Structures are given as C-alpha cells and as structure tokens.
Amino acid sequence: MNYKEKVAKAIFDADIGLQLEEIMDIVEVPADDKMGDFAFPCFKLAKVLRKAPPMIAKDIAEKIGANPLFEKVEQVNAYVNMFLSKEEFVKDILTRVQSEGDAFGRSNLGEGKTVIVEYSSPNIAKPFHIGHIRSTVIGNAIYKLYDALGYKTVRINHLGDYGTQFGKMICAYRHWGNEEDVKREPIKTLLEYYTKFHVEVETHPELEDEARAIFADLEKGKEEEVRLWQWFRDESLKEFTRVYDMLGITFDSYAGESFYSDKMPAIEKELEEKGLLKESNGAMIVDLEPYGMTPALIKKSDGSSLYITRDLAAANYRKEHYNFYKNLYIVASQQNLHFQQWIKILELMGREWAHDCVHIPFGLVSLEDGTMSTRHGRVVFLEDVLNRAVEQTKEIILEKNANAENVDEIAKAVGIGAVIFQELSNSKIKDYVFSWEKVLNFEGETGPYVQYAHARACSVLRKAGEDVVKAASATDALDMKYLVSPAAYKLAKEIYDFPQAIVEAAEKYEPSVLTRHIIDIAQSFNKFYYEEHILVDDEAEKKAKVALVLAAKTTLKNGLGLLGVNAPEKM
Ligand code: ARG
C-alpha cells in the first residue's frame, strides 16, 4: 500500500460515511509542505454529509488524530492537514530502496504487454545531424521507461532507406562517382553526388528519366541496382552506428522503409477494395477532405509508392508480427499532418487498434548561431557535437583538477551525458536552442550537476568506509530520529516519489518529468549535504545519515540510467 492509500484508509476507518475510492479521489498533496504531507479538502462533502466543510474537517481531524500513521493532524478551515510520522516513513522508504537496489523504481505494471518504440529513423546517405538528436535521445528514454515498467519492448529504427532519391543517387554515382571516395567518407560523398544530380538535372533533364528508370529497376530487384543500394545503406549505417555507440543506444530492428516494399501492394489493394482509393491526375490518393485534411498521396502517377503507404504497411506488419499494446512513433512535430492522415486512413480501413498507434511529436532544436539547415549546407553533424562536448568537458575537469584520474572516461560520460540530459530537461514539444554554456554548466539544472551530486554521494560513502555502509544497509537497526530534519525528510520524500515519477513520465511520454524529479533529488541531496554534518562522531547518527546518502545515490544512479546517462562514481 502506498502512503496515499494508507491515508485514505485511515480516513475511511474513521467511518465518516464515504467509500474508500471517493476518499482516494479527494486526498491531495499540498503544494506547501507546511500544510502537511497530505491534505483532505472537505468542500465537496458539505452536500452529502449535510454539514459545513470546516465542521467536517474538524470531525475527521479528531477521529484520525490518534492514528500512529500520523505525527500530527490539523484542521485548517475546510482542510484536514495530515503530517506523517516521519521516522516510520523514512525507515519505510530507506528499507525499500535498500532491498530493491538497482531495481528501485522498476515495476511489473506492464507485464505481458508489448510496446513498440520507433525512434531515430534517419535517412540513409544523408547526414546524421544535430536535429536527429531529439528523436534518438527522447525515444531511447521512452523505451527505457517502458522497459522499467515491465513492458516487453521492441526498439525499431525505421530507416529512411527507400524512395526515388535512391534512383537519383545511383544515377549520380554512375556518372560521377568513385568507390574509394564513398568508402572513405560515405555520407559526405553520397550527399555530394546527390547535390550534383540536382545541379546537373537543370541542364540535362534526361537525367530525371534515367533516375526514375533506375529506381524502377531497384524496386524490381535488379541485381546491380540492389547491390549499390545495399552498399550505400551499409556504409551509412556504419556511420550512424558510430553515433549510437557514443550515445549507448541499440535497436532491436532496423526494418526501415525498404522492408515494406513488398508489403505495399496488399495495402493498395485493400484501400481499393474498401473504396478508399481515388484517382487524381494519374496518381492514387485517399481523399481526406471530409476530415479537414489534404488528400494523402498513396501512389504516384509513375507507379512508385510513397512514404505514407510504407507507414500504413509498417503499422499493419507490426500489429501482425508483434501484436503490440502500443506502437509509439517519436517523430518531429513537422510530421504532424502525415501522422494525422495516416491514423485516419488506418481508421477508415477499419483497424480497431488504430489509436494504439501514437505519434509522439517534439519541437525543433536550433543552434545559437542560427537555425540549422541541411539545404544551405550548414549541417552540424551530431558526431561533431558529441565529440566537442567530450573535449570541452575534459578541459573543464582538468581546469578543476590537473591530476584528475580517468579523465577520458569521465569526460565521455559527463560530456555525452550532458547533451542527453539537456535534451530531456524540457517539455519535448517546445522548440529550444542548443547552448554550449547551458549544456556543460556544472551548477545549473544540468546533467553534470546531477552526476556531480551522485559522485559526491559516492565520495561520502567511500569516506564513511565499508563497515559503516554495511551497517547503514541494515535499515531496521537504524535510529531514524536523525533523519527528520526538514532537509533529510524532504530528500526522503522525493526518493519515495521516484517510482511514481517513472510511471508519470511513461504515461505522458514525457521523460522531462523524470529529469525534473531527479534534479529535485540532486538539489535536496546537496542541501542535506551542506546543511548537515554527515560523517559525525556519533555512530548511530552517522549510520542513519549514511543510509540516506546511500538511498539518494541509488536513486540518482537509477534515474540517470533511465535517461540513458552514465553515473560515474568519481568526477
Ligand atoms: N526518416 C524520416 C525522416 O528523417 C523519419 C521517419 C519517421 N518514422 C515514420 N514511421 N514515418 O524524416
């Protein structure tokens, strides 16, 4: 039973004439902890109980006042303010963290259900740039949150590895390409070919037909075209994987757009049979005007298939293959219309699971020196950003301590962690400006700040020594009277709320809920650290305080881990 349930039960047992569920709905956590740990507003009860709210509150306060769950119960106007017995509460939560350890925060809420998380999904032969960080990092955190809640998860990278642009790319390669260059620097080189194609086609329009014919051959599976396409894909994936490795990210499937090339005819046929397909200037569309949307282009006049058709095929395949409970797409808000059209078509096709597919949009990232733009060649590669973060972090560490150990390893954990953390700090739908100063600030609400709090906790534990830490782990034998100060109690309460923050972050598809919560824990830990003497002479006091440090450390580490950020023990 959690504390809210315990509180509701206490009120229920006072026999005030309400059902337990009704009481649960009314119990709240006051914004100001001076009003207690829980409050029970009685306004709504006046009608049912035929009494003035303050009278009801007074009555309840008197009836539950003696319950050992509470240290104090007050009636203030229409409210019952309840203060938990701090020592029991702190003991309870420390025991829980101690026994669950690395698993603290995890649960089996989602047992037996499969959640697909589709994220990152870059286009092959195109730069993996700073803009890709959002889907990649937010998606990875959402996957980790669902995994922590006991769901079976499938991580899919829906690579953009199909479409007429590959006809152009192969065409360009044949005219101006060279194998060595591609091998040396695949993405840059392929991008150059692609750009050259667009320049040349202005004066040689016949290239357009050539490229179209090549793509048609590719779709038919002609050996040479497929070989080149496969090679471009492999080389691109090698570059992407370098970045994924730096970020500590892996996928269960790279079934991208090309994977659905043979699964589209069935979709087209079904749309046709269900009378959803219409001809328009030689192309096939689904008319979405009745739903206030522009038509969805399913098949071009030259017979080639389109992005949305592949997404329809993908949703179907995933349902059949994984029987998902939820199928999540972490894709920029620029594609809102695409996903609205797509879900409407799934609905029209009669898929009763259409709304188990969820588009999770996010805003734009831009750089301080202007928006990022692929079209004008101002591409900022994600790999370069990550490398720079690591280098700058190394400088900061060496500035602070010229003899720091394992600098490279720590700089990697902190530098990359900082970039990831920043990405997950704000509500994801907001546009934001990537700022180096903010990312690497050790004092602000940043990754390094939280990592530093964790490393500080580790350092306290090292100084306390193994024996004390061992004794502190036996929470039953500790005297909790040392942990009821405002700073200690606040920290304990935030640790208690950690599992709920995970649930909330997952349900809202909003990792920042968790990020904000672990920033709170780091801040409360630092306050506790500065305000109180932890490694005191008194053994009993020291053990109790070390136990709280241990719980904070475990929670920070688990929290960072769920965001995809490492927690070094020394910084
Ligand atoms: N490859 C696309 C892009 O870079 C993103 C793919 C999103 N996923 C999807 N199922 N449509 O814009």
Side-chain angles (χ1 to χ4, degrees), residues 349-382:
M349 290 172 88
R351 300 295 189 269
E352 71 282 358
W353 44 263
H355 289 273
D356 298 335
C357 298
V358 186
H359 172 216
I360 301 170
F362 51 82
L364 281 179
V365 55
S366 56
L367 294 166
E368 284 166 305
D369 49 9
T371 51
M372 54 140 293
S373 137
T374 7
R375 231 168 296 140
H376 302 103
R378 272 189 304 170
V379 188
V380 179
F381 284 83
L382 181 51

Side-chain angles (χ1 to χ4, degrees), residues 118 121-123 132 158 160 257 307 311 329 331 335 338-339:
E118 188 217 281
S121 310
N123 297 327
H132 288 115
H158 186 79
E257 294 187 41
Y307 184 55
D311 261 328
Y329 295 76
V331 183
Q335 297 196 26
H338 164 76
F339 281 103

